[in-house]
Amino acid sequence: RRRPLSELLAPALMAQQRGPGASGASPTGLPVRGDSGQPYVLETDDIGGGAMGRVYPAEQLTTGTTVAVKVVPRSARSRRNLLLARLRDEHDTLRKIHQGRDQEGRDFVVEPLDAVTENGNITHLMMEFVGGGSLRDYLLQHGQLSVAKTIRLCSQLARALRAAHGAGVTHRDLKPSNIMLDAAGDARVIDFGV
């Protein structure tokens, strides 16, 4: 019988007794506690990444929910401060969009859920997990979209950008790899940290 990750790691998590913001040295495999006090365990295999860091799936141990966690690598010594500043900007930008008035549009922007702050810097950004892959991956695998899917996605992207612009945010790097698709094929715009 395969035991859930939360069941396997719960004793280790409880033994740590860390306060908010204490994340440990390893980016994966160990529990981290978000600023909200919620515990998360990052999986060892990343699901993507770019110039700012890597993104890992993680389990929120209290609820069993899967989230995506963007982590600034500790190995990026010379650029670490810049990357940490960009991660904080992305966190603040996503919160600004999700606190905005455009409920319909923000449904198509990835939602920030929590963060880990160390010494005043956000080192981990927890976001909703969108498990369908990127639009780029979809296009590489399936070729062009049907007219109906194109119209639906363009409408969702227009609503997402309207929500962002209504919050005073310009994306500046909208491309198929920064558009995630959920299981139903609906869009979520990601990577507001550029």
Side-chain angles (χ1 to χ4, degrees):
R1 156 173 115 69
R2 190 171 169 185
R3 294 169 52 191
L5 189 59
S6 58
E7 186 178 310
L8 293 170
L9 293 172
L13 179 68
M14 297 309 145
Q16 285 191 4
Q17 297 287 319
R18 295 195 214 187
S23 69
S26 175
T28 62
L30 294 176
V32 297
R33 190 169 302 279
D35 293 344
S36 68
Q38 297 298 318
Y40 301 85
V41 174
L42 280 65
E43 295 184 13
T44 55
D45 294 327
D46 66 59
I47 53 175
M52 283 182 42
R54 304 303 303 166
V55 178
Y56 297 88
E59 181 180 356
Q60 201 281 352
L61 292 178
T62 306
T63 64
T65 304
T66 300
V67 301
V69 182
K70 187 177 283 189
V71 179
V72 173
R74 293 183 186 277
S75 60
R77 288 184 181 92
S78 63
R79 301 177 352 149
R80 187 160 167 86
N81 288 339
L82 173 65
L83 298 176
L84 291 170
R86 285 186 177 173
L87 191 61
R88 168 152 318 270
D89 288 346
E90 182 171 11
H91 172 265
D92 294 347
T93 296
L94 290 172
R95 285 187 52 148
K96 189 175 181 182
I97 292 168
H98 277 271
Q99 291 171 351
R101 293 187 203 124
D102 191 344
Q103 174 64 48
E104 181 184 7
R106 69 182 179 209
D107 287 345
F108 302 108
V109 174
V110 70
E111 182 178 5
L113 302 173
D114 204 350
V116 174
T117 305
E118 293 178 357
N119 301 319
N121 294 309
I122 292 179
T123 58
H124 298 66
L125 174 58
M126 287 74 166
M127 301 169 282
E128 77 174 294
F129 180 79
V130 184
S134 72
L135 177 58
R136 179 185 183 278
D137 293 340
Y138 181 91
L139 292 171
L140 289 173
Q141 191 172 41
H142 301 285
Q144 69 185 35
L145 296 169
S146 69
V147 172
K149 279 186 180 180
T150 301
I151 291 170
R152 190 173 99 230
L153 282 178
C154 286
S155 174
Q156 293 171 355
L157 294 174
R159 288 182 270 176
L161 293 176
R162 182 183 66 204
H165 294 176
V169 174
T170 302
H171 190 286
R172 298 187 310 192
D173 195 27
L174 190 63
K175 57 188 178 185
S177 60
N178 285 338
I179 299 166
M180 299 299 291
L181 302 174
D182 67 14
D186 290 329
R188 297 290 189 293
V189 178
I190 63 168
D191 213 0
F192 280 84
V194 175

